[in-house]
């Protein structure tokens, strides 16, 4: 979770208090007063900074300090960085403190690599405990903001130990440290359960929350024992009251469930598939009363029905427009909700969660596998439409965080455009032109074979099932026969249970991600799949996926609060392994499968969390488990 900006503003205000810069002597009072007079004429950090450029000595330094404070208040991070650079040229300035300001400004601009270089350059110079505490906290903040809690934890611990030992007040340190610990698995926490008493106290408290998550009474006893063992520990300030702690981790009791699905209009067919999935799950779930409401009703009509029913939980709506209108009207603000789509605006309640079959989940899963395998030059093939461009942009954005190479992108307009797109990307067209030129030089027949470029080491197809079946043969014939076979991957869009009944041969060797529900060989609920096939033998792929989604939506409700709190906790569903991030969004990990010998077989592919470039460049390469 990214640290709140306001907390870091408070932090830097505290950092100013630990400066060792000498106060002006009595002889400099007139200069100081002059600087104050000039500062009062300015209206912004930039104007104060410009005034400082025309002054000298202590007068200039004081104006730069004022400009620095104003830049923080205005959140003008480029200017804050520039002011720090100017102060570096002045010998009388506390350079360690000043460099911490620069690192902070760079972090706020996502210049993580530069910020880490500065912080690492200060190692061995941090004699004052204040400087050391702030240094460790800022370093931890960078790693935490990039979602690397294991890297951040040791720095947070050292900041906490130093602050406690020297009575240093670092606002938000305890809250940030605790948020970071909640992201660690119990295995990772056990590895940190050593060292100073402060560190052990933090770790044991986090372990108690995980071990006793399902037992409020035992958790309460564990916390009481912890308080007696670690009297005066800084973590005591973040402990919730007894009732709040038990409520946070307790499973949600649902007696009345309201389900908002489209029951009219053009999306009624999608609503029918969702309803079937929800009813199948309700057969295994003890919920006293479930009421289905058409999400296409007006906001007022839905609000009236909800007021009468007073549900314990709501599932839906499915359509973004309906989610937005209910959010704007705050109809569901006081009710726990699992929306079946994403929200473009801000989350209006911590009780609101979002579950969507986002293709971005699959793109990120494929990208992590590519990086784990050491692929350097991926090629993406996608339709030239809004969805294809969105996924390509998402892949590029994530890829640039971890690799200095650029992905090759091929966007095709239609099936006629596919051959040209592929031959151009693989540079087969250039090879053919060279062959044509050579042939023109000789009258007799010249033995030849086209060559494709050799730097592409993986190809990712983002087309649908029909497009993938057209693309795969083009790739097979356009890659040089004497070159290594390029691994081919695709998303679940490439897989269709309907088309696969008659056509699997052209896809031999292709890897793809897919919902467990769509892969019979990997499905544990085989009886449910048999019943589904008996009732709806010819259902469209989208209907089958929505069935799985609604089935999981009902069954995950019991665990959803714990999923959002306990790191590493997952729910094994028909739509994948589900977890909940800090924003309330359900993230999915899908299964891998491969076409082989006209069949689909399950495969286990290597994957691990990739290391961002700024960590690689700063000499911080470590295995991320």
């Amino acid at each position: 979770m990214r640290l709140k900006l306001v907390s870091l503003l408070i932090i830097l205000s505290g950092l100013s208090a630990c400066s060792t810069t000498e106060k002006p002597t009595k002889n400099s009072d007139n200069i100081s007063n002059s600087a104050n007079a000039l500062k009062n004429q300015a209206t912004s950090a930039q104007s104060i900074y410009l005034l400082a450029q025309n002054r000298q000595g202590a007068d200039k330094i004081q104006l730069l300090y004022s400009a620095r404070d104003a830049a923080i208040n205005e959140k003008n991070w480029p200017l804050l960085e520039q002011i720090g650079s100017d102060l570096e040229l002045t010998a009388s300035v506390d350079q360690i403190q000043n460099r911490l300001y620069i690192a902070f400004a760079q972090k706020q601009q996502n210049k993580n690599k530069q910020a880490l270089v500065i912080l690492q350059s200060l190692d061995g110079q941090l004699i004052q405990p204040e400087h050391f505490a702030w240094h460790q906290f800022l370093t931890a903040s960078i790693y935490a903001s990039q979602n690397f809690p294991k890297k951040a934890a040791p720095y947070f611990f050292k900041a906490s130990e130093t602050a406690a030992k020297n009575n240093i007040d670092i606002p938000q340190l305890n809250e940030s440290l605790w948020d970071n610990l909640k992201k660690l698995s119990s295995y990772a926490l056990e590895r940190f359960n050593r060292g100073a008493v402060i560190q052990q106290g933090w770790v044991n408290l986090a372990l108690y929350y995980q071990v006793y998550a399902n037992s409020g009474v035992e958790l309460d006893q564990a916390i009481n024992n912890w308080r007696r063992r670690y009297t005066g520990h800084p973590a005591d300030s973040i402990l919730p009251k007894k009732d709040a702690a038990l409520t946070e981790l307790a499973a949600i009791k649902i007696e009345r469930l309201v389900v908002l699905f489209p029951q009219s209009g053009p999306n009624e067919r999608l609503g029918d598939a969702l309803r079937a999935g929800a009813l199948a799950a309700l057969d295994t779930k003890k919920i006293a009363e479930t009421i289905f409401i058409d999400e296409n009703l007006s906001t007022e009509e839905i609000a009236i029905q909800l007021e009468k029913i007073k549900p314990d939980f709501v599932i839906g709506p499915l359509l973004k427009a309906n989610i937005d209108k209910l959010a704007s009207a705050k109809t569901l603000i006081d009710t726990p909700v699992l929306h079946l789509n994403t929200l473009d605006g801000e989350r209006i309640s911590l009780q609101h969660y979002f579950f969507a079959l986002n293709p971005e989940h699959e793109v990120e899963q494929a990208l992590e596998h590519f990086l784990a395998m050491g692929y350097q030059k991926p090629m993406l093939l996608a339709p030239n439409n809004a969805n294809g461009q969105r996924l390509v942009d998402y892949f590029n954005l994530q890829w640039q965080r971890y690799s200095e190479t650029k992905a090759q992108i091929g966007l095709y307009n239609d099936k006629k455009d596919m051959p040209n797109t592929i031959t151009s990307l693989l540079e087969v067209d250039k090879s053919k032109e060279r062959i044509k030129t050579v042939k023109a030089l000789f009258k007799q027949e010249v033995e030849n074979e086209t060559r494709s470029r050799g730097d592409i080491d993986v190809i990712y197809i983002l087309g649908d099932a029909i497009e993938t079946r057209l693309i795969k043969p083009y790739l097979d014939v356009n890659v040089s026969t004497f070159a290594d076979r390029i691994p081919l991957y695709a998303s679940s869009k490439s897989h269709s249970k309907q088309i696969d009944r008659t056509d699997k041969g052209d896809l031999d060797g292709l890897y793809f991600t897919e919902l467990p529900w769509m892969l019979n060989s990997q499905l544990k609920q085989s009886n449910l799949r048999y019943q589904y096939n008996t009732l709806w033998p010819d259902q469209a792929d989208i209907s089958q996926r929505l069935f799985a989604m609604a089935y999981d939506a009902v069954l995950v409700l019991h665990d959803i609060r714990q999923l959002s709190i306990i790191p590493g906790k997952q729910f094994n569903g028909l739509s994948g392994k589900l977890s909940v991030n800090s924003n309330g969004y359900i993230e999915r990990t899908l299964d891998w499968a491969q076409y082989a010998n006209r069949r689909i077989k399950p495969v286990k592919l290597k994957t691990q969390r990739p290391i961002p470039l700024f960590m690689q460049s700063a000499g911080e390469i470590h295995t991320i488990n």
Side-chain angles (χ1 to χ4, degrees), residues 333-369:
I333 193 168
D334 296 323
T335 306
V337 183
L338 176 58
H339 296 296
L340 297 185
N341 212 323
T342 57
L343 178 69
D344 291 331
E346 293 291 328
R347 184 185 184 193
I348 63 172
S349 170
L350 295 178
Q351 298 184 96
H352 287 191
Y353 304 92
F354 304 89
F355 183 17
L357 301 181
N358 273 351
E360 282 84 354
H361 296 155
E362 301 181 58
V363 171
E364 189 158 355
Q365 186 173 337
L367 181 146
E368 290 185 359
H369 171 64

Side-chain angles (χ1 to χ4, degrees), residues 21 24 28-39 45-69 82-93 98:
T21 305
S28 66
D29 284 347
N30 291 333
I31 298 176
S32 178
N33 291 334
S34 173
N36 282 328
L38 286 170
K39 184 186 72 173
Q46 183 66 38
S47 58
I48 299 173
Y49 175 69
L50 292 175
L51 285 173
Q53 303 309 300
N54 298 318
R55 306 295 292 184
Q56 299 293 328
D59 206 0
K60 179 176 183 175
I61 294 173
Q62 185 171 340
L63 285 170
L64 287 174
Y65 285 161
S66 298
R68 185 174 66 185
D69 293 340
Q82 181 60 53
I83 292 169
S85 298
D86 287 5
L87 287 169
E88 275 193 304
L89 304 176
T90 306
S92 61
V93 169
N98 185 58

